[in-house]
Amino acid sequence: MATVLLEGRGDLTEWREAARSLLLARTQPRTIDWRCRSDAAGDLFGPAAGVPEAPFAPAATVPAVTVPKAFLSLAQAVICHSDLLRFQLLYRVLFRLQEERTLLEVLSDADVAQLRAMEKSVRRDCHKMTAFVRFKEFDIAQGHARRRFLAWFEPDHHIVARVAPFFQRRFTDMDWIIATPKGTAAWDGEVLSVSTEPAENPMLSDSTDLLWRTYFSHIFNPARLKVKMMMTEMPKKYWKNLPEAELIPGLIAGAEASVIAMAERAASEAPLFHQRLQAIAQAEPEIVQPPAGTLEELREEARHCTRCALHCSATQTVFGEGPQDARIMIVGEQPGDQEDLAGRPFVGPAGAVFNTVAQEAGLDRKDTYVTNAVKHFKYEPRGKRRIHQKPNAGEVQHCKWWLTRELALVKPKLVVAMGSTALMALTDSRQRLSDLRGEMLQLGAGQSLLVTVHPAYLLRIPDEGRKHEEMARFRSDIARAAAFGRRTMADVRPHSATGDIRPSI
Ligand code: URA
């Protein structure tokens, strides 16, 4: 029996060099005892007695060995598995592949099945890491040019190097370190560095813990609760590092009562249009005329809007709200069920997401003008419920009459279009939201446009991993808007990449 001792934790390059030399010498898999120094530290038995423990030295030049492409991609994943048997298994399959070229297609083969199971486990671990890493800000008062974040995560496998590029792409505009017991990754805006040294839990907590808890309690839908599926998506072993996890038992326990309360609160049919008008006329016999040329005057006018058919079934016009001298205007799609009843924009579930993220970013809603592209709730009655329907292009066109006037009176320095309806209303652009997302564009003279997704979209994403990813992007967009509000207009760069965005109103 020969021992092959890999020096590092046994990455693909190291294993491949060793395997290639062994293969060319036709060394039988069963005669090799694979070890690696980092794993040997915790190995109860150490290297086999009487077997020379020498680091493996690859031959200076060795001819290439060919393998099917699928094997390489499997090997890239399986080499990250924490089971020491990975080296042996990979070599055995590599050895067999020289004779059995289609071996990987034989799913019933025990080696292939084990290889695929290990790959799946690594893939799942990577996915969980992208979903459950929670950054905490540190060194806040130190005056660094970029914000700095630290996260602690406990992966099952050696996946840090594999997943680090995902975080580099996603969180490129901040410095971050992800520490784990299986190595650390760090990004400083220029260099992505990865080490395999085990780190210790820094035991940090910051105000984002509260944000995660607020966000989670808002997106938790008791009516859709499936405990088993939830536990598969968010296994308990990750809970200790997730600030929001402590809410889960309470939310599950209270789910039934919440569903009953939700059903009792469910919106009922709006009163018929003429009844509503009569009620308004009786309640306000004397309308005091607000000053001309003000938002108040416009709001009063909009209360009686009949420019399209949507006014017939909605309870009331939901006009924008916020100060007339706001630097930032947020434009959503249209009021939802709760906004229609309250007569105020963004007070329902999507509004809760927006408010939480805005608050975290330092964007004070009372300094911001918040409105919608369409001012009446469009819905389809289903039983006692009113189900949201997207406004069509004609309805958006009719309602632009109001949005144009709101823009002219408020004159915001920055308009944030949340979702494709707002984008269409503001620009008439045929471009996709995803192509313009997150860019600071020029809308009019001295006026910028930032395009992002609608918060209701975030609430609908079924996959937890993607939801967290998209949520992080949304937070970064809103943080950008908040930062813009604090800065001067000097660094607004004219939009050039997409050329044809022009104010259409
Ligand atoms: N969605 C919107 O676009 N606007 C609201 O006011 C509420 C939900």
Side-chain angles (χ1 to χ4, degrees):
M1 177 78 77
T3 297
V4 172
L5 182 63
L6 300 172
E7 271 301 316
R9 73 136 191 95
D11 64 15
L12 190 65
T13 314
E14 221 184 341
W15 173 84
R16 187 158 51 180
E17 283 182 2
R20 190 189 290 140
S21 299
L22 292 164
L23 192 64
L24 291 167
R26 301 292 305 154
T27 313
Q28 290 291 326
R30 65 175 179 282
T31 64
I32 307 166
D33 181 19
W34 291 85
R35 308 262 159 163
C36 76
R37 227 181 251 293
S38 56
D39 285 351
D43 180 357
L44 192 56
F45 301 104
V51 175
E53 184 204 338
F56 178 81
T61 51
V62 280
V65 171
T66 61
V67 284
K69 237 186 181 162
F71 176 74
L72 253 192
S73 101
L74 265 175
Q76 273 161 354
V78 170
I79 204 77
C80 301
H81 202 283
S82 51
D83 191 333
L84 198 52
L85 284 177
R86 64 192 181 277
F87 303 117
Q88 174 72 3
L89 176 66
L90 281 168
Y91 183 63
R92 197 160 58 239
V93 172
L94 175 68
F95 193 87
R96 291 180 59 195
L97 274 170
Q98 304 311 301
E99 301 297 327
E100 307 165 56
R101 299 302 283 182
T102 56
L103 173 63
L104 293 180
E105 288 156 34
V106 187
L107 301 182
S108 56
D109 181 276
D111 284 344
V112 175
Q114 194 179 355
L115 210 53
R116 294 211 179 268
M118 284 172 118
E119 184 218 18
K120 188 170 169 197
S121 172
V122 168
R123 230 183 324 114
R124 185 175 158 80
D125 202 27
C126 292
H127 177 70
K128 295 295 174 210
M129 182 164 169
T130 61
F132 296 145
V133 157
R134 298 284 181 268
F135 285 110
K136 323 261 161 122
E137 190 158 13
F138 71 106
D139 272 2
I140 296 173
Q142 304 301 311
H144 296 284
R146 287 155 56 90
R147 294 173 73 188
R148 319 179 94 202
F149 292 83
L150 182 57
W152 171 253
F153 185 73
E154 294 175 34
D156 291 338
H157 306 299
H158 302 283
I159 55 168
V160 175
R162 191 172 167 85
V163 188
F166 164 87
F167 288 98
Q168 180 193 353
R169 284 192 304 278
R170 182 59 77 234
F171 300 106
T172 192
D173 57 351
M174 63 193 216
D175 290 355
W176 52 257
I177 299 171
I178 303 175
T180 88
K182 290 189 166 57
T184 298
W187 167 248
D188 65 2
E190 283 176 9
V191 180
L192 176 67
S193 33
V194 180
S195 118
T196 53
E197 283 300 308
E200 280 192 15
N201 189 345
M203 306 294 271
L204 283 179
S205 100
D206 71 358
S207 58
T208 36
D209 285 1
L210 180 63
L211 174 76
W212 274 112
R213 285 193 275 268
T214 313
Y215 168 61
F216 190 77
S217 57
H218 278 119
I219 62 163
F220 180 83
N221 183 347
R224 291 218 186 133
L225 176 64
K226 292 201 177 91
V227 177
K228 210 165 148 204
M229 197 198 280
M230 182 175 180
M231 301 305 279
T232 318
E233 281 296 310
M234 200 192 240
K236 253 199 160 150
K237 66 180 174 186
Y238 296 107
W239 287 23
K240 62 179 184 294
N241 295 317
L242 296 174
E244 68 272 30
E246 66 186 42
L247 300 176
I248 296 174
L251 289 170
I252 293 177
E256 197 179 332
S258 304
V259 172
I260 293 170
M262 269 167 68
E264 279 166 3
R265 271 203 317 267
S268 52
E269 288 283 346
L272 289 176
F273 186 51
H274 70 275
Q275 288 170 340
R276 202 171 62 245
L277 282 184
Q278 281 173 353
I280 291 170
Q282 279 162 19
E284 296 175 35
E286 210 182 309
I287 294 173
V288 183
Q289 206 53 43
T294 63
L295 276 173
E296 282 324 299
E297 185 191 44
L298 197 61
R299 175 193 304 278
E300 184 52 38
E301 242 184 86
R303 256 169 28 96
H304 309 287
C305 177
T306 55
R307 299 181 73 85
C308 76
L310 293 184
H311 73 278
C312 300
S313 49
T315 305
Q316 56 191 314
T317 306
V318 178
F319 202 67
E321 66 175 25
Q324 188 155 342
D325 61 354
R327 285 175 66 84
I328 300 180
M329 179 186 282
I330 307 285
V331 184
E333 183 188 80
Q334 62 160 349
D337 182 275
Q338 294 191 32
E339 287 80 11
D340 171 77
L341 298 175
R344 292 185 53 210
F346 284 104
V347 294
V353 173
F354 170 71
N355 289 343
T356 310
V357 171
Q359 193 182 359
E360 184 224 12
L363 185 68
D364 198 334
R365 189 160 162 172
K366 70 178 177 348
D367 299 333
T368 310
Y369 190 83
V370 179
T371 191
N372 282 302
V374 170
K375 309 288 194 257
H376 279 116
F377 177 36
K378 179 174 180 180
Y379 63 91
E380 183 191 293
R382 216 174 282 164
K384 278 197 158 184
R385 312 216 44 213
R386 304 187 297 167
I387 309 299
H388 163 275
Q389 282 205 307
K390 204 176 167 69
N392 62 34
E395 287 149 356
V396 174
Q397 283 298 327
H398 282 303
C399 226
K400 263 169 72 168
W401 202 86
W402 299 111
L403 187 57
T404 312
R405 273 149 195 80
E406 286 175 295
L407 278 164
L409 284 171
V410 179
K411 300 189 189 63
K413 299 286 181 219
L414 174 67
V415 181
V416 179
M418 295 202 303
S420 54
T421 303
L423 176 64
M424 181 166 75
L426 286 160
T427 66
D428 266 346
S429 166
R430 294 275 158 244
Q431 291 186 81
R432 287 189 322 187
L433 185 144
S434 54
D435 293 338
L436 303 175
R437 166 92 188 264
E439 282 280 312
M440 201 56 85
L441 311 171
Q442 192 168 330
L443 183 62
Q447 191 169 64
S448 298
L449 172 70
L450 182 71
V451 180
T452 187
V453 293
H454 194 285
Y457 157 75
L458 299 169
L459 293 173
R460 288 193 302 264
I461 301 175
D463 177 80
E464 281 299 315
R466 266 206 58 224
K467 186 179 283 221
H468 282 98
E469 227 180 82
E470 284 295 326
M471 182 68 191
R473 286 189 75 192
F474 182 66
R475 287 168 67 197
S476 133
D477 291 343
I478 297 299
R480 188 133 190 241
F484 185 101
R486 291 188 285 265
R487 274 199 322 263
T488 62
M489 292 296 291
D491 48 345
V492 177
R493 76 179 167 78
H495 172 66
S496 56
T498 41
D500 55 341
I501 291 282
R502 283 286 169 267
S504 59
I505 45 183

